[in-house]
Amino acid sequence: MVKAVVAGASGGIGQPLSLLLKLSPYVDELALYDVVASPGVAADLSHISTKAKVTGYLPADDGLKAALTGADVVVIPAGIPRKPGMTRDDLFNINAGIVRDLITGIALYCPSAFILIISNPVNSTVPIAAEVLKKHGVFDPKKLFGVTTLDVVRAETFTATVAGKPDPSVFKIPVVGGHSGDTIVPLLSLSEPKVEISASDRASLVNRIQFGGDEVVQAKEGKGSATLSMAHAGFRFVESILKAVAGETDIVENTFVYLPGVSGGDDVKSITGLDFFSVPVELGPYGAVKAINILPQVSEYEKGLLEVAYAGLAANIKKGVDFIVGAPEAK
Ligand SMILES: NC(=O)C1=CN([C@@H]2O[C@H](COP(=O)(O)OP(=O)(O)OC[C@H]3O[C@@H](n4cnc5c(N)ncnc54)[C@H](O)[C@@H]3O)[C@@H](O)[C@H]2O)C=CC1
Ligand SMILES: O=C([O-])CC(=O)C(=O)O
């Protein structure tokens, strides 16, 4: 019996993601938590004739505890989205506290659940989550994931367009680093099948993948950021986790993990110098089995992109850690 929880279930991502989970054969119970409207969303979804039993919870009456108790996987798309002109880091002040409080609930009520963080800025919210879990003595790095799947989905789609291929799903393209602007590093040189593109097409393709989020923010004109493509990407990642839990093998997703806690992570860290980084990760029934170190295979051009990403990521990660452990005193 698999219980999935969506925290932030009434939002732009939360609703379609909950719909996809309600349709999944891997989910037996689906608990929807939000500060508004979650019982209504749950009532609506509960009429769909699939097996998952859907319930909705608000903060009142220990709703977070009721939602999380017994959870196997918790997906977190709670928090505010960007408006035009904002960076993901501009969301930190509000979303950091939201993620901290939800992770505290997970530490108390379902400490062995898989935790998938969608809330931005992912480069900082995942370190926040790790520190909260450490404080409670329940941190299992094999089960904490920053969801960077949308970058992979965009890489597949935009590359197919440039390559003139009608079906983007034939592509497998690793995207490493973090989840904001130039911390997102698509490794087009490792694309399968191979893509032959000119240097100038490559530069604009990389830029489009790195700033795909901004494209949607601008097109929505102040009404939020990517929600439907994110629900698809989030569901793809949750489903990979649930397939691995069900015993399927050879499941690999790119995801932002705590490298020192994942097998193979130290090899990646010895190149990046960072504790958190998104790389292809093999998933198994107990979480991350192995971080796959593809960094030695990248092109010279991609090495340059990576150097830029390292600097931005270091600052974002430190900001998240400091939010929980406290910034060191100025001397
Ligand atoms: N990782 C990624 O690739 C992506 C991340 N995002 C991020 O996902 C987050 C959500 O985006 P949207 O769904 O568009 O926003 P939204 O505003 O439509 O929905 C957010 C939901 O979170 C709820 N919420 C707020 N505080 C909460 C709390 N303490 N506990 C539970 N729920 C709470 C709100 O009531 C709302 O229903 C944003 O931070 C956004 O930047 C968005 C797209 C891609
Ligand atoms: O751009 C945003 O703020 C939302 C996001 O993370 C994305 O679409 O990749």
Side-chain angles (χ1 to χ4, degrees), residues 13 80-83 86-88 91 118-122 147 150-151 154 179-180 184 209-217 224-227 229-230:
I13 297 167
I80 57 162
R82 285 198 286 165
K83 290 188 190 307
M86 292 172 82
T87 66
R88 290 181 184 77
L91 305 173
I118 292 173
S119 314
N120 271 316
V122 166
V147 181
L150 183 53
D151 303 316
R154 286 184 178 132
H179 179 67
S180 71
I184 298 169
I209 296 165
Q210 291 184 320
F211 294 91
D214 297 62
E215 212 175 282
V216 181
V217 169
S225 54
T227 54
S229 51
M230 182 60 235

PDB file of all heavy atoms in Angstrom, residues 13 80-83 86-88 91 118-122 147 150-151 154 179-180 184 209-217 224-227 229-230, ligand 2:
ATOM      1  N   ILE A  13       0.516  24.062  -9.450  1.00  0.00           N
ATOM      2  CA  ILE A  13       1.158  22.763  -9.675  1.00  0.00           C
ATOM      3  C   ILE A  13       0.396  21.674  -8.921  1.00  0.00           C
ATOM      4  O   ILE A  13       0.154  20.590  -9.439  1.00  0.00           O
ATOM      5  CB  ILE A  13       2.629  22.780  -9.193  1.00  0.00           C
ATOM      6  CG1 ILE A  13       3.443  23.795  -9.985  1.00  0.00           C
ATOM      7  CG2 ILE A  13       3.257  21.388  -9.292  1.00  0.00           C
ATOM      8  CD1 ILE A  13       4.804  24.118  -9.379  1.00  0.00           C
ATOM      9  N   ILE A  80       5.152  30.448  -2.841  1.00  0.00           N
ATOM     10  CA  ILE A  80       4.772  31.406  -3.885  1.00  0.00           C
ATOM     11  C   ILE A  80       5.610  31.212  -5.154  1.00  0.00           C
ATOM     12  O   ILE A  80       6.764  30.818  -5.094  1.00  0.00           O
ATOM     13  CB  ILE A  80       4.888  32.870  -3.399  1.00  0.00           C
ATOM     14  CG1 ILE A  80       6.299  33.185  -2.916  1.00  0.00           C
ATOM     15  CG2 ILE A  80       3.871  33.169  -2.318  1.00  0.00           C
ATOM     16  CD1 ILE A  80       6.574  34.675  -2.845  1.00  0.00           C
ATOM     17  N   PRO A  81       4.978  31.493  -6.304  1.00  0.00           N
ATOM     18  CA  PRO A  81       5.716  31.454  -7.584  1.00  0.00           C
ATOM     19  C   PRO A  81       6.216  32.854  -7.982  1.00  0.00           C
ATOM     20  O   PRO A  81       5.811  33.849  -7.386  1.00  0.00           O
ATOM     21  CB  PRO A  81       4.650  30.964  -8.562  1.00  0.00           C
ATOM     22  CG  PRO A  81       3.350  31.453  -8.009  1.00  0.00           C
ATOM     23  CD  PRO A  81       3.513  31.654  -6.512  1.00  0.00           C
ATOM     24  N   ARG A  82       7.059  32.877  -9.016  1.00  0.00           N
ATOM     25  CA  ARG A  82       7.618  34.156  -9.483  1.00  0.00           C
ATOM     26  C   ARG A  82       6.613  34.980 -10.282  1.00  0.00           C
ATOM     27  O   ARG A  82       5.684  34.442 -10.868  1.00  0.00           O
ATOM     28  CB  ARG A  82       8.792  33.885 -10.437  1.00  0.00           C
ATOM     29  CG  ARG A  82      10.019  33.450  -9.769  1.00  0.00           C
ATOM     30  CD  ARG A  82      11.212  33.629 -10.679  1.00  0.00           C
ATOM     31  NE  ARG A  82      11.292  32.652 -11.759  1.00  0.00           N
ATOM     32  CZ  ARG A  82      12.083  32.799 -12.815  1.00  0.00           C
ATOM     33  NH1 ARG A  82      12.825  33.891 -12.944  1.00  0.00           N
ATOM     34  NH2 ARG A  82      12.147  31.864 -13.743  1.00  0.00           N
ATOM     35  N   LYS A  83       6.886  36.287 -10.317  1.00  0.00           N
ATOM     36  CA  LYS A  83       6.236  37.206 -11.257  1.00  0.00           C
ATOM     37  C   LYS A  83       7.334  37.765 -12.158  1.00  0.00           C
ATOM     38  O   LYS A  83       8.521  37.640 -11.809  1.00  0.00           O
ATOM     39  CB  LYS A  83       5.587  38.366 -10.484  1.00  0.00           C
ATOM     40  CG  LYS A  83       4.372  37.971  -9.663  1.00  0.00           C
ATOM     41  CD  LYS A  83       3.707  39.230  -9.116  1.00  0.00           C
ATOM     42  CE  LYS A  83       2.631  38.946  -8.087  1.00  0.00           C
ATOM     43  NZ  LYS A  83       1.602  38.004  -8.494  1.00  0.00           N
ATOM     44  N   MET A  86      11.288  38.857 -11.348  1.00  0.00           N
ATOM     45  CA  MET A  86      11.836  38.226 -10.134  1.00  0.00           C
ATOM     46  C   MET A  86      12.776  37.069 -10.500  1.00  0.00           C
ATOM     47  O   MET A  86      12.594  36.412 -11.517  1.00  0.00           O
ATOM     48  CB  MET A  86      10.701  37.632  -9.277  1.00  0.00           C
ATOM     49  CG  MET A  86       9.788  38.656  -8.646  1.00  0.00           C
ATOM     50  SD  MET A  86       8.379  37.835  -7.875  1.00  0.00           S
ATOM     51  CE  MET A  86       9.084  37.325  -6.321  1.00  0.00           C
ATOM     52  N   THR A  87      13.759  36.828  -9.628  1.00  0.00           N
ATOM     53  CA  THR A  87      14.566  35.611  -9.737  1.00  0.00           C
ATOM     54  C   THR A  87      13.960  34.576  -8.784  1.00  0.00           C
ATOM     55  O   THR A  87      13.144  34.919  -7.918  1.00  0.00           O
ATOM     56  CB  THR A  87      16.023  35.856  -9.304  1.00  0.00           C
ATOM     57  OG1 THR A  87      16.025  36.149  -7.897  1.00  0.00           O
ATOM     58  CG2 THR A  87      16.651  36.993 -10.084  1.00  0.00           C
ATOM     59  N   ARG A  88      14.399  33.336  -8.923  1.00  0.00           N
ATOM     60  CA  ARG A  88      13.904  32.320  -7.982  1.00  0.00           C
ATOM     61  C   ARG A  88      14.374  32.646  -6.569  1.00  0.00           C
ATOM     62  O   ARG A  88      13.673  32.400  -5.591  1.00  0.00           O
ATOM     63  CB  ARG A  88      14.350  30.934  -8.421  1.00  0.00           C
ATOM     64  CG  ARG A  88      13.669  30.432  -9.695  1.00  0.00           C
ATOM     65  CD  ARG A  88      14.136  29.047 -10.043  1.00  0.00           C
ATOM     66  NE  ARG A  88      13.615  28.509 -11.275  1.00  0.00           N
ATOM     67  CZ  ARG A  88      14.032  28.834 -12.503  1.00  0.00           C
ATOM     68  NH1 ARG A  88      14.974  29.740 -12.664  1.00  0.00           N
ATOM     69  NH2 ARG A  88      13.518  28.246 -13.573  1.00  0.00           N
ATOM     70  N   LEU A  91      12.235  34.455  -4.098  1.00  0.00           N
ATOM     71  CA  LEU A  91      11.162  33.722  -3.400  1.00  0.00           C
ATOM     72  C   LEU A  91      11.628  33.205  -2.038  1.00  0.00           C
ATOM     73  O   LEU A  91      10.820  32.724  -1.239  1.00  0.00           O
ATOM     74  CB  LEU A  91      10.711  32.526  -4.257  1.00  0.00           C
ATOM     75  CG  LEU A  91      10.267  32.848  -5.689  1.00  0.00           C
ATOM     76  CD1 LEU A  91      10.022  31.554  -6.472  1.00  0.00           C
ATOM     77  CD2 LEU A  91       9.001  33.709  -5.674  1.00  0.00           C
ATOM     78  N   ILE A 118       9.758  20.643  -4.741  1.00  0.00           N
ATOM     79  CA  ILE A 118       9.538  21.422  -5.962  1.00  0.00           C
ATOM     80  C   ILE A 118       9.668  22.917  -5.646  1.00  0.00           C
ATOM     81  O   ILE A 118      10.116  23.702  -6.478  1.00  0.00           O
ATOM     82  CB  ILE A 118       8.135  21.102  -6.543  1.00  0.00           C
ATOM     83  CG1 ILE A 118       8.091  19.652  -7.058  1.00  0.00           C
ATOM     84  CG2 ILE A 118       7.753  22.077  -7.649  1.00  0.00           C
ATOM     85  CD1 ILE A 118       6.717  19.166  -7.502  1.00  0.00           C
ATOM     86  N   SER A 119       9.297  23.324  -4.422  1.00  0.00           N
ATOM     87  CA  SER A 119       9.266  24.749  -4.043  1.00  0.00           C
ATOM     88  C   SER A 119      10.603  25.424  -4.296  1.00  0.00           C
ATOM     89  O   SER A 119      11.653  24.923  -3.891  1.00  0.00           O
ATOM     90  CB  SER A 119       8.925  24.894  -2.557  1.00  0.00           C
ATOM     91  OG  SER A 119       7.842  24.073  -2.201  1.00  0.00           O
ATOM     92  N   ASN A 120      10.533  26.585  -4.931  1.00  0.00           N
ATOM     93  CA  ASN A 120      11.748  27.357  -5.237  1.00  0.00           C
ATOM     94  C   ASN A 120      12.132  28.314  -4.115  1.00  0.00           C
ATOM     95  O   ASN A 120      11.279  28.711  -3.337  1.00  0.00           O
ATOM     96  CB  ASN A 120      11.490  28.180  -6.512  1.00  0.00           C
ATOM     97  CG  ASN A 120      11.845  27.407  -7.764  1.00  0.00           C
ATOM     98  OD1 ASN A 120      12.870  26.761  -7.825  1.00  0.00           O
ATOM     99  ND2 ASN A 120      10.982  27.503  -8.769  1.00  0.00           N
ATOM    100  N   PRO A 121      13.379  28.704  -4.052  1.00  0.00           N
ATOM    101  CA  PRO A 121      14.492  28.295  -4.899  1.00  0.00           C
ATOM    102  C   PRO A 121      15.038  26.914  -4.485  1.00  0.00           C
ATOM    103  O   PRO A 121      15.548  26.764  -3.378  1.00  0.00           O
ATOM    104  CB  PRO A 121      15.557  29.379  -4.661  1.00  0.00           C
ATOM    105  CG  PRO A 121      15.240  29.921  -3.280  1.00  0.00           C
ATOM    106  CD  PRO A 121      13.771  29.769  -3.096  1.00  0.00           C
ATOM    107  N   VAL A 122      14.887  25.937  -5.384  1.00  0.00           N
ATOM    108  CA  VAL A 122      15.288  24.549  -5.089  1.00  0.00           C
ATOM    109  C   VAL A 122      16.750  24.478  -4.603  1.00  0.00           C
ATOM    110  O   VAL A 122      17.081  23.707  -3.701  1.00  0.00           O
ATOM    111  CB  VAL A 122      15.085  23.675  -6.354  1.00  0.00           C
ATOM    112  CG1 VAL A 122      15.781  22.327  -6.224  1.00  0.00           C
ATOM    113  CG2 VAL A 122      13.594  23.469  -6.615  1.00  0.00           C
ATOM    114  N   VAL A 147      13.548  18.474  -7.080  1.00  0.00           N
ATOM    115  CA  VAL A 147      12.983  18.062  -8.374  1.00  0.00           C
ATOM    116  C   VAL A 147      13.468  19.018  -9.473  1.00  0.00           C
ATOM    117  O   VAL A 147      13.053  20.175  -9.530  1.00  0.00           O
ATOM    118  CB  VAL A 147      11.443  18.025  -8.304  1.00  0.00           C
ATOM    119  CG1 VAL A 147      10.869  17.582  -9.650  1.00  0.00           C
ATOM    120  CG2 VAL A 147      10.983  17.091  -7.187  1.00  0.00           C
ATOM    121  N   LEU A 150      11.963  19.181 -14.628  1.00  0.00           N
ATOM    122  CA  LEU A 150      11.434  20.068 -15.670  1.00  0.00           C
ATOM    123  C   LEU A 150      12.556  20.550 -16.588  1.00  0.00           C
ATOM    124  O   LEU A 150      12.337  20.768 -17.786  1.00  0.00           O
ATOM    125  CB  LEU A 150      10.696  21.256 -15.021  1.00  0.00           C
ATOM    126  CG  LEU A 150      10.025  22.245 -15.978  1.00  0.00           C
ATOM    127  CD1 LEU A 150       9.088  21.557 -16.969  1.00  0.00           C
ATOM    128  CD2 LEU A 150       9.262  23.313 -15.194  1.00  0.00           C
ATOM    129  N   ASP A 151      13.756  20.677 -16.048  1.00  0.00           N
ATOM    130  CA  ASP A 151      14.885  21.083 -16.900  1.00  0.00           C
ATOM    131  C   ASP A 151      15.195  20.000 -17.932  1.00  0.00           C
ATOM    132  O   ASP A 151      15.543  20.297 -19.079  1.00  0.00           O
ATOM    133  CB  ASP A 151      16.123  21.367 -16.029  1.00  0.00           C
ATOM    134  CG  ASP A 151      15.816  22.423 -14.982  1.00  0.00           C
ATOM    135  OD1 ASP A 151      15.183  23.429 -15.333  1.00  0.00           O
ATOM    136  OD2 ASP A 151      16.183  22.225 -13.801  1.00  0.00           O
ATOM    137  N   ARG A 154      12.397  20.080 -20.539  1.00  0.00           N
ATOM    138  CA  ARG A 154      12.615  21.201 -21.490  1.00  0.00           C
ATOM    139  C   ARG A 154      13.762  20.871 -22.445  1.00  0.00           C
ATOM    140  O   ARG A 154      13.685  21.167 -23.640  1.00  0.00           O
ATOM    141  CB  ARG A 154      12.946  22.478 -20.715  1.00  0.00           C
ATOM    142  CG  ARG A 154      11.737  23.075 -20.039  1.00  0.00           C
ATOM    143  CD  ARG A 154      12.067  24.403 -19.356  1.00  0.00           C
ATOM    144  NE  ARG A 154      10.876  24.979 -18.765  1.00  0.00           N
ATOM    145  CZ  ARG A 154      10.792  25.449 -17.526  1.00  0.00           C
ATOM    146  NH1 ARG A 154      11.853  25.429 -16.732  1.00  0.00           N
ATOM    147  NH2 ARG A 154       9.657  25.941 -17.079  1.00  0.00           N
ATOM    148  N   HIS A 179      18.838  24.396 -10.116  1.00  0.00           N
ATOM    149  CA  HIS A 179      17.595  24.731 -10.811  1.00  0.00           C
ATOM    150  C   HIS A 179      17.345  26.237 -10.779  1.00  0.00           C
ATOM    151  O   HIS A 179      16.426  26.708 -10.124  1.00  0.00           O
ATOM    152  CB  HIS A 179      16.405  23.968 -10.209  1.00  0.00           C
ATOM    153  CG  HIS A 179      15.116  24.314 -10.892  1.00  0.00           C
ATOM    154  ND1 HIS A 179      14.854  23.984 -12.209  1.00  0.00           N
ATOM    155  CD2 HIS A 179      14.031  25.020 -10.475  1.00  0.00           C
ATOM    156  CE1 HIS A 179      13.674  24.451 -12.553  1.00  0.00           C
ATOM    157  NE2 HIS A 179      13.151  25.087 -11.515  1.00  0.00           N
ATOM    158  N   SER A 180      18.204  26.989 -11.464  1.00  0.00           N
ATOM    159  CA  SER A 180      17.942  28.417 -11.689  1.00  0.00           C
ATOM    160  C   SER A 180      18.969  28.923 -12.676  1.00  0.00           C
ATOM    161  O   SER A 180      20.176  28.719 -12.492  1.00  0.00           O
ATOM    162  CB  SER A 180      18.046  29.226 -10.394  1.00  0.00           C
ATOM    163  OG  SER A 180      19.375  29.308  -9.977  1.00  0.00           O
ATOM    164  N   ILE A 184      21.735  25.838 -14.157  1.00  0.00           N
ATOM    165  CA  ILE A 184      21.180  24.701 -14.911  1.00  0.00           C
ATOM    166  C   ILE A 184      22.142  24.407 -16.073  1.00  0.00           C
ATOM    167  O   ILE A 184      22.359  25.271 -16.923  1.00  0.00           O
ATOM    168  CB  ILE A 184      19.781  25.064 -15.480  1.00  0.00           C
ATOM    169  CG1 ILE A 184      18.791  25.367 -14.343  1.00  0.00           C
ATOM    170  CG2 ILE A 184      19.260  23.949 -16.398  1.00  0.00           C
ATOM    171  CD1 ILE A 184      17.472  25.998 -14.811  1.00  0.00           C
ATOM    172  N   ILE A 209      17.125  26.485 -22.517  1.00  0.00           N
ATOM    173  CA  ILE A 209      16.882  25.491 -21.456  1.00  0.00           C
ATOM    174  C   ILE A 209      17.119  26.141 -20.084  1.00  0.00           C
ATOM    175  O   ILE A 209      16.322  25.958 -19.159  1.00  0.00           O
ATOM    176  CB  ILE A 209      17.791  24.255 -21.657  1.00  0.00           C
ATOM    177  CG1 ILE A 209      17.435  23.542 -22.963  1.00  0.00           C
ATOM    178  CG2 ILE A 209      17.661  23.290 -20.472  1.00  0.00           C
ATOM    179  CD1 ILE A 209      18.485  22.536 -23.455  1.00  0.00           C
ATOM    180  N   GLN A 210      18.191  26.926 -19.978  1.00  0.00           N
ATOM    181  CA  GLN A 210      18.510  27.553 -18.682  1.00  0.00           C
ATOM    182  C   GLN A 210      17.426  28.539 -18.247  1.00  0.00           C
ATOM    183  O   GLN A 210      17.137  28.663 -17.064  1.00  0.00           O
ATOM    184  CB  GLN A 210      19.855  28.284 -18.770  1.00  0.00           C
ATOM    185  CG  GLN A 210      21.054  27.343 -18.905  1.00  0.00           C
ATOM    186  CD  GLN A 210      22.375  28.085 -18.905  1.00  0.00           C
ATOM    187  OE1 GLN A 210      22.498  29.159 -19.499  1.00  0.00           O
ATOM    188  NE2 GLN A 210      23.374  27.504 -18.251  1.00  0.00           N
ATOM    189  N   PHE A 211      16.837  29.235 -19.233  1.00  0.00           N
ATOM    190  CA  PHE A 211      15.889  30.295 -18.891  1.00  0.00           C
ATOM    191  C   PHE A 211      14.463  29.970 -19.365  1.00  0.00           C
ATOM    192  O   PHE A 211      13.638  30.865 -19.539  1.00  0.00           O
ATOM    193  CB  PHE A 211      16.390  31.645 -19.439  1.00  0.00           C
ATOM    194  CG  PHE A 211      17.665  32.071 -18.743  1.00  0.00           C
ATOM    195  CD1 PHE A 211      18.906  31.725 -19.256  1.00  0.00           C
ATOM    196  CD2 PHE A 211      17.620  32.737 -17.524  1.00  0.00           C
ATOM    197  CE1 PHE A 211      20.089  32.054 -18.593  1.00  0.00           C
ATOM    198  CE2 PHE A 211      18.794  33.077 -16.849  1.00  0.00           C
ATOM    199  CZ  PHE A 211      20.038  32.742 -17.376  1.00  0.00           C
ATOM    200  N   GLY A 212      14.166  28.685 -19.528  1.00  0.00           N
ATOM    201  CA  GLY A 212      12.829  28.256 -19.944  1.00  0.00           C
ATOM    202  C   GLY A 212      11.763  28.698 -18.945  1.00  0.00           C
ATOM    203  O   GLY A 212      10.636  29.030 -19.319  1.00  0.00           O
ATOM    204  N   GLY A 213      12.114  28.718 -17.682  1.00  0.00           N
ATOM    205  CA  GLY A 213      11.162  29.146 -16.648  1.00  0.00           C
ATOM    206  C   GLY A 213      10.735  30.585 -16.869  1.00  0.00           C
ATOM    207  O   GLY A 213       9.544  30.921 -16.753  1.00  0.00           O
ATOM    208  N   ASP A 214      11.685  31.432 -17.245  1.00  0.00           N
ATOM    209  CA  ASP A 214      11.380  32.853 -17.480  1.00  0.00           C
ATOM    210  C   ASP A 214      10.422  33.028 -18.656  1.00  0.00           C
ATOM    211  O   ASP A 214       9.560  33.913 -18.648  1.00  0.00           O
ATOM    212  CB  ASP A 214      12.661  33.640 -17.780  1.00  0.00           C
ATOM    213  CG  ASP A 214      13.617  33.612 -16.603  1.00  0.00           C
ATOM    214  OD1 ASP A 214      14.064  32.500 -16.241  1.00  0.00           O
ATOM    215  OD2 ASP A 214      13.896  34.681 -16.032  1.00  0.00           O
ATOM    216  N   GLU A 215      10.583  32.160 -19.659  1.00  0.00           N
ATOM    217  CA  GLU A 215       9.702  32.216 -20.833  1.00  0.00           C
ATOM    218  C   GLU A 215       8.236  32.078 -20.389  1.00  0.00           C
ATOM    219  O   GLU A 215       7.360  32.812 -20.839  1.00  0.00           O
ATOM    220  CB  GLU A 215      10.065  31.026 -21.737  1.00  0.00           C
ATOM    221  CG  GLU A 215       9.893  31.238 -23.194  1.00  0.00           C
ATOM    222  CD  GLU A 215      10.402  30.027 -23.999  1.00  0.00           C
ATOM    223  OE1 GLU A 215      11.631  29.872 -24.190  1.00  0.00           O
ATOM    224  OE2 GLU A 215       9.564  29.232 -24.440  1.00  0.00           O
ATOM    225  N   VAL A 216       7.990  31.143 -19.471  1.00  0.00           N
ATOM    226  CA  VAL A 216       6.612  30.914 -19.009  1.00  0.00           C
ATOM    227  C   VAL A 216       6.161  32.057 -18.086  1.00  0.00           C
ATOM    228  O   VAL A 216       5.036  32.548 -18.188  1.00  0.00           O
ATOM    229  CB  VAL A 216       6.495  29.549 -18.287  1.00  0.00           C
ATOM    230  CG1 VAL A 216       5.062  29.306 -17.824  1.00  0.00           C
ATOM    231  CG2 VAL A 216       6.959  28.420 -19.196  1.00  0.00           C
ATOM    232  N   VAL A 217       7.059  32.489 -17.198  1.00  0.00           N
ATOM    233  CA  VAL A 217       6.721  33.589 -16.281  1.00  0.00           C
ATOM    234  C   VAL A 217       6.286  34.813 -17.097  1.00  0.00           C
ATOM    235  O   VAL A 217       5.274  35.465 -16.784  1.00  0.00           O
ATOM    236  CB  VAL A 217       7.926  33.935 -15.367  1.00  0.00           C
ATOM    237  CG1 VAL A 217       7.687  35.240 -14.614  1.00  0.00           C
ATOM    238  CG2 VAL A 217       8.195  32.793 -14.384  1.00  0.00           C
ATOM    239  N   GLY A 224       1.812  33.915 -12.455  1.00  0.00           N
ATOM    240  CA  GLY A 224       2.547  32.748 -11.962  1.00  0.00           C
ATOM    241  C   GLY A 224       3.541  32.195 -12.959  1.00  0.00           C
ATOM    242  O   GLY A 224       3.871  32.828 -13.968  1.00  0.00           O
ATOM    243  N   SER A 225       4.023  30.992 -12.661  1.00  0.00           N
ATOM    244  CA  SER A 225       5.074  30.375 -13.472  1.00  0.00           C
ATOM    245  C   SER A 225       4.579  29.021 -13.971  1.00  0.00           C
ATOM    246  O   SER A 225       3.389  28.709 -13.889  1.00  0.00           O
ATOM    247  CB  SER A 225       6.364  30.272 -12.650  1.00  0.00           C
ATOM    248  OG  SER A 225       6.158  29.610 -11.427  1.00  0.00           O
ATOM    249  N   ALA A 226       5.492  28.213 -14.460  1.00  0.00           N
ATOM    250  CA  ALA A 226       5.108  26.920 -15.045  1.00  0.00           C
ATOM    251  C   ALA A 226       4.355  26.065 -14.020  1.00  0.00           C
ATOM    252  O   ALA A 226       4.823  25.884 -12.894  1.00  0.00           O
ATOM    253  CB  ALA A 226       6.359  26.179 -15.505  1.00  0.00           C
ATOM    254  N   THR A 227       3.198  25.579 -14.410  1.00  0.00           N
ATOM    255  CA  THR A 227       2.412  24.733 -13.503  1.00  0.00           C
ATOM    256  C   THR A 227       2.104  23.374 -14.163  1.00  0.00           C
ATOM    257  O   THR A 227       2.331  22.329 -13.566  1.00  0.00           O
ATOM    258  CB  THR A 227       1.082  25.416 -13.109  1.00  0.00           C
ATOM    259  OG1 THR A 227       0.384  25.794 -14.301  1.00  0.00           O
ATOM    260  CG2 THR A 227       1.327  26.653 -12.254  1.00  0.00           C
ATOM    261  N   SER A 229       3.395  21.987 -17.075  1.00  0.00           N
ATOM    262  CA  SER A 229       4.609  21.244 -17.440  1.00  0.00           C
ATOM    263  C   SER A 229       5.318  20.762 -16.179  1.00  0.00           C
ATOM    264  O   SER A 229       5.915  19.678 -16.170  1.00  0.00           O
ATOM    265  CB  SER A 229       5.533  22.112 -18.296  1.00  0.00           C
ATOM    266  OG  SER A 229       5.756  23.361 -17.683  1.00  0.00           O
ATOM    267  N   MET A 230       5.226  21.545 -15.109  1.00  0.00           N
ATOM    268  CA  MET A 230       5.853  21.132 -13.841  1.00  0.00           C
ATOM    269  C   MET A 230       5.106  19.953 -13.223  1.00  0.00           C
ATOM    270  O   MET A 230       5.718  19.050 -12.646  1.00  0.00           O
ATOM    271  CB  MET A 230       5.909  22.304 -12.861  1.00  0.00           C
ATOM    272  CG  MET A 230       6.591  21.966 -11.558  1.00  0.00           C
ATOM    273  SD  MET A 230       8.299  21.432 -11.799  1.00  0.00           S
ATOM    274  CE  MET A 230       8.295  19.858 -10.990  1.00  0.00           C
TER     275      MET A 230
HETATM  276  O1  LIG B   2      10.610  29.788 -13.418  1.00  0.00           O
HETATM  277  C1  LIG B   2      10.050  29.609 -12.309  1.00  0.00           C
HETATM  278  O2  LIG B   2      10.013  30.446 -11.405  1.00  0.00           O
HETATM  279  C2  LIG B   2       9.442  28.268 -12.066  1.00  0.00           C
HETATM  280  C3  LIG B   2      10.439  27.243 -12.343  1.00  0.00           C
HETATM  281  O3  LIG B   2      11.255  26.897 -11.523  1.00  0.00           O
HETATM  282  C4  LIG B   2      10.521  26.736 -13.717  1.00  0.00           C
HETATM  283  O4  LIG B   2       9.588  26.906 -14.512  1.00  0.00           O
HETATM  284  O5  LIG B   2      11.554  26.138 -14.041  1.00  0.00           O
END
